[in-house]
Amino acid sequence: MTDPATPRDEFHVPVIDVSRWTTGSTEERSALALAVDEAARTTGFLQITGHGISDTVQADLAAAMDAFFALPLAEKKALCAPPEINRGYTPPRVEKLSLSLGVSSPEDLFEAFNVGVDGSTCPDGTLPAAYFPANAWPDPQRVPGFREAVEGWFARAGALARRLTGIFAYALGLPEGFFRPYTDRSVDVLRLNNYALPDGETRIEPDRMGMGAHTDYGIVTVLWADRVPGLQILDPEGRWRDVLPAEGTLLVNLGDALARWTNDRWRSTLHRVLPPADSEGRLLRRRSAAYFHDGNHDAVISPLPGCVPAGSEPLYPPLTVGDHIAAKLSGSRALRPNDDAARESARLLAADRAHSGDRGDRGGNRR
């Protein structure tokens, strides 16, 4: 059996220590910003240390995920929400993440549980339910401590994401607080993922993906993941490359909103997850928790100062964060292909054409 901690073709993702951002010297802060800018311009993907989230908090989250996903399928399905409500449980083979790019592939194998900012808890009623729906929690007697562990991770990952937007602004030559008016009511979501086969299945079908190729929708994603192969990113040369998080790091990738704000100066990371499997085709255990910091639903995404060369037109028309996310979710969750992702889907389709014969490039992506 293949060692699950050994990737096939590991790609070097920069490791950046962010602990000195708030206390470091001007020189240290500038060096950190330059390192982030380099990663953002090339892969849109980095690993961070000095993030301040303790091993205990991570262990509590992992234990809570294990307890929830071990529940009977019928019990988990009671927490399913309609496609337009990005909350609750998603069973295996229900979503197609690649449709968020307008590209079709077989249904993804992951199961998930989503929580987000709950508008019903806002005392002044300023968070509309359409963008801030209520969370659906499992019975605390069935999964003791689940909500507390998830909310604890949500708060810490959110604080880290907001710290990162300050670094991003500085790296782009903007005031450190530039993004605050665009993110003070951010439609943030935490998605807990578990890679699983539907009941009764023991082997992975050909061309099946753990999670189909996609870009994330918002500003930045903070990702905790098991050190098990499966995650791949598309490198600048259009090759799928394995990524395995280093010990003690969190993975960070940029999303569409930031790519559009920077007029593609910074990259929205195309990534996917191959089914983590042994040599016999049996699924290996793999979990991840993705915190999506997406921005305010009514924030307008248009090019930032200095990101459009003189005499050139912006690569994207202005649109709101809410409209952009709705179009992406209608693809992945409602299975209606997104027609507003031409630049991202072109990168994916070019990679598929160039490497369609490679074992690692399975997924059947097609228009």
Side-chain angles (χ1 to χ4, degrees):
M1 186 176 91
T2 302
D3 180 354
T6 304
R8 292 169 295 276
D9 183 22
E10 187 176 359
F11 180 60
H12 174 69
V13 177
V15 179
I16 299 175
D17 183 354
V18 299
S19 63
R20 299 295 290 170
W21 179 248
T22 54
T23 61
S25 66
T26 300
E27 291 76 15
E28 288 173 317
R29 285 164 59 89
S30 296
L32 172 55
L34 283 172
V36 167
D37 179 60
E38 171 66 18
R41 285 188 290 105
T42 53
T43 64
F45 216 95
L46 55 149
Q47 305 182 82
I48 59 171
T49 60
H51 46 71
I53 302 179
S54 71
D55 292 343
T56 299
V57 173
Q58 294 184 44
D60 288 346
L61 177 70
M65 292 172 63
D66 289 345
F68 173 77
F69 288 120
L71 293 173
L73 182 59
E75 193 170 340
K76 291 183 288 188
K77 280 187 171 181
L79 297 170
C80 288
E84 65 273 11
I85 299 177
N86 196 20
R87 297 290 188 272
Y89 177 67
T90 298
R93 293 198 350 202
V94 168
E95 292 195 17
K96 294 184 180 184
L97 264 292
S98 66
L99 282 178
S100 66
L101 300 180
V103 178
S104 185
S105 64
E107 297 87 352
D108 300 333
L109 287 178
F110 72 91
E111 60 177 341
F113 185 79
N114 287 10
V115 300
V117 179
D118 187 339
S120 67
T121 65
C122 181
D124 58 7
T126 57
L127 300 180
Y131 296 100
F132 302 93
N135 290 312
W137 296 99
D139 183 344
Q141 293 186 330
R142 294 286 290 148
V143 196
F146 177 82
R147 179 170 180 171
E148 292 79 5
V150 171
E151 289 185 330
W153 183 266
F154 190 97
R156 289 167 176 81
L160 175 59
R162 289 187 289 274
R163 190 188 343 162
L164 289 170
T165 60
I167 300 173
F168 295 163
Y170 189 92
L172 290 165
L174 301 168
E176 186 176 338
F178 179 87
F179 287 107
R180 286 177 193 153
Y182 300 97
T183 58
D184 55 354
R185 294 171 289 106
S186 187
V187 288
D188 292 3
V189 170
L190 172 63
R191 164 160 274 202
L192 311 177
N193 301 302
N194 185 56
Y195 291 85
L197 289 170
D199 285 352
E201 297 188 20
T202 59
R203 293 291 186 272
I204 301 167
E205 299 171 348
D207 296 331
R208 186 69 61 178
M209 297 296 292
M211 185 176 286
H214 63 286
T215 55
D216 289 345
Y217 310 159
I219 298 172
V220 63
T221 302
V222 175
L223 179 72
W224 169 83
D226 282 323
R227 298 192 72 248
V228 174
L231 176 63
Q232 294 187 323
I233 68 171
L234 196 68
D235 74 10
E237 288 73 44
R239 297 170 297 177
W240 288 110
R241 305 294 294 271
D242 294 299
V243 172
L244 195 69
E247 292 283 0
T249 67
L250 294 175
L251 296 171
V252 169
N253 65 277
L254 309 185
D256 300 335
L258 198 54
R260 291 183 176 222
W261 254 313
T262 63
N263 202 47
D264 274 358
R265 170 179 163 179
W266 286 6
R267 298 179 68 89
S268 181
T269 313
L270 258 169
H271 56 288
R272 66 184 186 181
V273 180
L274 300 182
D278 65 17
S279 59
E280 302 299 321
R282 294 171 297 205
L283 201 67
L284 295 172
R285 182 187 189 208
R286 185 179 187 276
R287 304 158 299 174
S288 66
Y291 184 95
F292 304 110
H293 186 50
D294 291 343
N296 298 349
H297 70 280
D298 54 358
V300 176
I301 308 170
S302 59
L304 300 173
C307 287
V308 179
S312 301
E313 293 294 321
L315 297 174
Y316 305 97
L319 83 167
T320 66
V321 167
D323 287 345
H324 172 67
I325 292 175
K328 300 281 276 194
L329 288 174
S330 72
S332 61
R333 289 177 63 87
L335 307 184
R336 294 190 296 270
N338 178 21
D339 294 326
D340 187 30
R343 290 181 63 83
E344 298 94 337
S345 64
R347 289 160 56 198
L348 173 58
L349 293 168
D352 282 349
R353 287 192 295 269
H355 306 288
S356 59
D358 294 348
R359 176 194 176 276
D361 290 307
R362 56 189 172 175
N365 293 311
R366 57 193 181 275
R367 280 287 182 184

